[in-house]
Structures are given as structure tokens and as C-alpha cells.
Amino acid sequence: MAKFNLSTIMKRPAGVTAEGAPGYAREPKLELFLLAVANMVGEQTFYERADARDDRFRALVAKVAVADPEWFARFVPWLRLGANLRSASVVAALEGAKAQVAAGIPGSRAIVGAALQRADEPGEALAYWLSVYGRALPKPVKRGVADAAVRLYHERSLLKYDSDSHALRFADVLELTHPSPRDAAQGELFQHALDRRHQRDNPIPETLSVLRARAELMALPVEQRAGVLDAQVLGAAGMTWEALAGWRQGPLDAAAWSAVIPSMGYLALLRNLRNFDQAGVSDEVAAVVAAKLSDPDEVDRSRVLPMRFLSAYNAAPSLRWAYPLEKALQFALGNVPRLGGRTLVLVDTSGSMNSVFSRDGSLRCWDAATMFGLALAARAADPTVVSFSNDTKVFDLRPGESVLKAVQRFKNDGWFFGGGTSTEYAVRKHYAGHDRVVILTDEQAHWHGSADVAAAVPATVPVYTWNLAGYRLGHTPSVPNRHAFGGLTDAAFSMIGLIESGESAAWPF
């Protein structure tokens, strides 16, 4: 997501890629950045085992956190809030804190606190630390988690996240970190969390009105619960759609969905379009959902990554969601630049790009590459989009076609090859005086006697590589007009305009 023309990056091959082509080492901050934005902790990729990948991530974090604490203090909050990556940011904050404490470097408390942005994350952070390093909590870790607990723990978050499914409950976090409540009401909430964890039969304090409303609903006999369809009653009790289904002890019908939809958050709506259709939610209710999904302010506040809209589009049976999702995607891609001149977009559809991109497995790396490649092409004056593996094929762009529809056509009509990664061959075959080249790939170029991607394009023409997997070695050295990026967000693509307009292109934080 930034210009990484760094003199410290090796310009001679430091090894070979998994497919045998020359591979170029990266400066540690760039390697950490690219790995972090592509890393789902504990998940394997096509060429790298989960444990080896996680070990490399931890080692890079420890190195960079000590070598450049100021950079690291900006990187971790951006990783959580800018890139919207939960596990990677939590692990980075904790491992960085460990390294900085050992080196006597201050500032870890704020970094740990900034990495925790959802109420289940203080418990997740402590569970990670306890499983790896035991019960000895350094003060910056303890205080950073405590700060987050004070900021994030309230009645509704207690109802949503404090359950037996979590190894560490809210009470465990409180007992391990001893946060000071911000006011008397939060003090009563903390005490209630301790009471329920230890099964003490104490009444819910009067100040905790949401918890008391939920308790009243829970006291209703099961056979009466299906009749509770007042959206205000459900909302006052902090009833999420997941809690409602459990409370009713059965799937939600159209009436139940209609009652709970007004209190559902943006991402929850996006994830449940299939459920709305299967339950038979009316077009009137669907129109309310569609209006929220396609509201630019709602899209902005949600911080939903653009790939989520593709996942929702693929999952939704009804076409009534197609246009709202396309509008939402366009808002989410607001920073994708409009490019003059001729642009060559190369989408890697080799076998390794079939690796999981989303944690639920619904999207693969080539889904992400295709969506962003076609979004970029939609804003380019004269684009050429090419799918490449061992072979290549030019995608026939259609004027006015929606990005989501084009991605679906790309996937269904034979543009995914699944072979090797012949990047240099594809560039040489299709470069024809273009003003820029954009490559969306995992960089694991195949060796065919030559794999010099940098030399396949004139030195005066910029080549932008988006790395989707975060492997250690890249397919091109760092030389002028060769730019390596990581992270598929709309902000990533804004860097093209910055570079070409001559502005300073630095880290995105």
C-alpha cells in the first residue's frame, strides 16, 4: 500500500520462489507489512505451513518493534483499524510488547490497547499470551488490556461476548488485569460480570437496565417467546439475531427477522441476506435493509472491506440485493483511482491463488485479485485485463457492466486456469506500450529459464505488484518504477495516483 523503493532491499536474488524462479529479499518492515496484511494467524497458505508462517510473523514483529518503535507504534493501530485485521494486529501488539519490554523500550501499553477494538478481544489477547508465555503478564500488556476492557465493556457487549464459548470470560480479564472502572455504573457492571462468572446468585443492579430487560425475556416460557415481535422490546434487551434464535430455540421466520432487523448492525445485515431470502422477508423490509446497505455513510462507518460485498453477492439467492450491493461496493472502492492512458492489469489465476483469502473459506485469493483488477479496469481510460497462469487469456470488458457481474462472469466463463505462475511470460506477451502495469499475484513466479519480471517492461514504465499472500521472497527487485504493495483495500490503490502525480508515497499510516 506504499512506495517501497528502499536501497536496503537486495537487488540480486536471495533465493528462489516456491516455483523455482529467482526470489528477491525484502527489507524487514516491508516483509512484515506484506505478511501482516495477508496473514490469517494459524492458517496455511499454498506454499507455507501455518506454523512456519506464524513463526516468521513473530520473528519479524520482534525485530521491527525494537529496530523502529515509532514505525511499529503507527503500524499496529493501522493494521487493526485501517486494514481491519483482528488476529494479526493482536498477535503483533503482544509479540511487539514482549520484545520491547525485553529491550527496555517504552510505549507498549498504548499499542496493546489500540489493537483491541472489539469487546471479545481483551480475552482473546490474554488467551494468546497465556497459551504461549504463561501467567507472567508484563505491565504494558496487563495495562493495555485493562485500558481496552474499560473502553469496551458495557451491558450490550457483555450480553454478546461474555459466554462459555470463550476460554476467558469478562470476569477472567478483570481478575487478571484489575482495571479501574470509569464510573460507578461500570463498577456495577464489572461486579455483575464477576458474579455471573462465579455463579453467585446476586440480583442485577437497577442501573443495568439492558441486562434486566434481557433477564425478563429469558424468564418467559419457551412457548410464549415466538409471540414477542416488538422491535423496541427486543432492542431494549440487547437481543442480537444470534441471541434471538437461541432464545426462541429455533430458526427465525420472516416475522422474527423483521422484528430484529432494525437493531442489526451493518455487517450482520450483510451476512444474512441469504437467511432473509430463505425466511421470506417481505420486499418492504428488504427495501429497508437495501437502503442501509447502500448508504455511503453506513458503508464508511462499517469499515467493511470491499471483498465482503462480493461474498454477500455470491451467497444471496435473490437479485433484489444485487444493485444495493453494487452501490455499496462502489462506495467502498471510492479511493480506486481513475487512470488515464493505457493500463495492463494482470490477474494471477495459478493453482496457488486458490488459497483461502477469507477466514470462512468463501473467497479465494483469485477472487480478491479478480475483483480489484476489474474495479481498477472500470476506472481506467483504456484497460487490458489478462488472466494468466501457464497460459494467458484477455478478458472481454463490457461497457457499463457492474464489477460484481464481471467478477461472476470471469469466474464462470473460463478465465481461471489453475496451473503455474508464468508471470514474466504473461507480461512479455501482453505488454504493448501500456503506460503502467498492475499485477495481482502471490509472486510465486514459475521458472522457465527466465523470470525477470522487472526486465519485461521498459524501465520508464511503472509496474505495481499487489502481493496477496505475503511470502518472504518477491518476484522483482526494488528498482525505480517497481513498486510492491500489500493489502487489497480501496486505500491501497490510491497509491498509484500519488506515485504518478509525483507526490510523496509513504506508508499508509
Side-chain angles (χ1 to χ4, degrees):
M1 291 182 59
K3 183 178 179 182
F4 296 122
N5 262 344
L6 303 176
S7 61
T8 54
I9 301 178
M10 294 177 63
K11 295 176 176 61
R12 294 180 179 177
V16 295
T17 69
E19 292 291 344
Y24 299 87
R26 314 181 198 272
E27 183 267 343
K29 280 187 286 192
L30 174 55
E31 186 181 351
L32 173 59
F33 182 91
L34 291 176
L35 177 58
V37 297
N39 193 26
M40 291 183 290
V41 175
E43 300 288 334
Q44 290 193 174
T45 60
F46 194 88
Y47 290 117
E48 194 169 19
R49 298 190 326 272
D51 56 350
R53 191 175 179 86
D54 292 347
D55 287 345
R56 180 161 67 94
F57 184 61
R58 283 190 285 264
L60 283 167
V61 166
K63 182 183 230 179
V64 172
V66 172
D68 195 340
E70 190 275 335
W71 182 93
F72 189 74
R74 292 184 288 116
F75 168 65
V76 172
W78 173 86
L79 189 62
R80 181 62 183 90
L81 294 172
N84 204 22
L85 294 171
R86 298 180 58 234
S87 297
S89 58
V90 170
V91 172
L94 296 177
E95 294 290 347
K98 180 177 182 295
Q100 289 183 342
V101 168
I105 297 172
S108 299
R109 174 180 180 173
I111 295 173
V112 171
L116 309 178
Q117 294 292 325
R118 205 172 77 177
D120 57 337
E121 291 170 5
E124 289 185 6
L126 289 179
Y128 173 84
W129 185 275
L130 294 174
S131 68
V132 177
Y133 299 115
R135 294 183 67 86
L137 287 173
K139 283 186 178 179
V141 172
K142 180 178 178 179
R143 290 172 178 169
V145 174
D147 292 342
V150 172
R151 175 165 43 86
L152 298 169
Y153 285 4
H154 50 74
E155 289 184 79
R156 293 177 186 273
S157 64
L158 184 82
L159 287 170
K160 185 169 184 177
Y161 295 114
D162 185 46
S163 68
D164 291 331
S165 64
H166 295 87
L168 290 183
R169 303 274 299 273
F170 278 33
D172 300 315
V173 173
L174 298 176
E175 290 177 328
L176 286 167
T177 65
H178 306 291
S180 298
R182 61 176 171 266
D183 54 32
Q186 190 175 54
E188 292 192 319
L189 176 72
F190 285 1
Q191 184 57 56
H192 177 71
L194 292 165
D195 288 344
R196 68 188 249 158
R197 178 71 169 109
H198 298 294
Q199 299 181 337
R200 300 170 187 148
D201 192 20
N202 293 328
I204 300 172
E206 293 285 343
T207 55
L208 305 181
S209 60
V210 177
L211 292 175
R212 291 176 66 86
R214 174 66 69 87
E216 289 179 11
L217 289 182
M218 296 304 295
L220 284 176
V222 173
E223 59 272 15
Q224 295 180 22
R225 295 176 182 180
V228 181
L229 297 173
D230 187 317
Q232 290 186 336
V233 170
L234 297 176
M239 191 70 79
T240 64
W241 70 270
E242 302 100 326
L244 183 61
W247 178 64
R248 289 164 58 101
Q249 298 186 15
L252 302 185
D253 56 19
W257 279 118
S258 299
V260 78
I261 277 172
S263 61
M264 291 175 67
Y266 192 92
L267 185 55
L269 293 173
L270 197 61
R271 285 174 169 169
N272 279 289
L273 300 183
R274 175 189 290 273
N275 289 331
F276 299 160
D277 285 344
Q278 290 178 339
V281 167
S282 69
D283 285 342
E284 291 76 16
V285 174
V288 173
V289 175
K292 185 170 184 176
L293 291 180
S294 57
D295 184 309
D297 293 332
E298 292 283 353
V299 174
D300 185 59
R301 280 194 296 269
S302 73
R303 297 203 303 269
V304 170
L305 294 179
M307 292 304 302
R308 291 277 191 185
F309 299 107
L310 175 58
S311 183
Y313 177 79
N314 290 339
S318 172
L319 288 176
R320 63 185 175 178
W321 309 115
Y323 184 56
L325 289 173
E326 179 68 26
K327 288 176 65 179
L329 176 63
Q330 293 301 326
F331 292 132
L333 292 171
N335 287 329
V336 175
R338 297 197 176 276
L339 301 174
R342 301 179 63 216
T343 304
L344 176 60
V345 179
L346 294 162
V347 178
D348 180 355
T349 58
S350 62
S352 60
M353 290 286 285
N354 195 35
S355 294
V356 171
F357 185 83
S358 59
R359 185 171 291 278
D360 63 4
S362 62
L363 295 175
R364 323 302 287 184
C365 283
W366 58 18
D367 290 316
T370 302
M371 194 193 78
F372 277 91
L374 294 177
L376 194 65
R379 287 161 172 75
D382 188 3
T384 304
V385 175
V386 175
S387 171
F388 77 93
S389 178
N390 295 116
D391 199 1
T392 68
K393 186 177 180 181
V394 177
F395 183 70
D396 60 317
L397 296 167
R398 299 175 181 175
E401 185 175 34
S402 79
V403 172
L404 292 173
K405 185 71 173 178
V407 171
Q408 186 179 56
R409 186 164 59 85
F410 194 106
K411 186 170 185 177
N412 294 339
D413 292 356
W415 273 271
F416 288 100
F417 296 123
T421 313
S422 300
T423 313
E424 188 228 7
Y425 166 75
V427 174
R428 289 193 184 278
K429 181 177 179 180
H430 294 280
Y431 177 76
H434 292 85
D435 297 293
R436 67 189 63 79
V437 178
V438 178
I439 308 173
L440 298 114
T441 178
D442 61 9
E443 292 196 87
Q444 295 306 288
H446 197 76
W447 175 245
H448 292 293
S450 173
D452 193 347
V453 176
V457 176
T460 56
V461 175
V463 177
Y464 305 96
T465 298
W466 259 268
N467 181 302
L468 279 82
Y471 293 123
R472 185 174 68 88
L473 300 177
H475 66 190
T476 183
S478 178
V479 294
N481 271 328
R482 302 297 182 259
H483 309 285
F485 298 78
L488 287 179
T489 69
D490 62 321
F493 288 88
S494 67
M495 302 307 294
I496 294 178
L498 290 174
I499 291 170
E500 295 189 3
S501 66
E503 297 180 41
S504 174
W507 303 97
F509 43 81

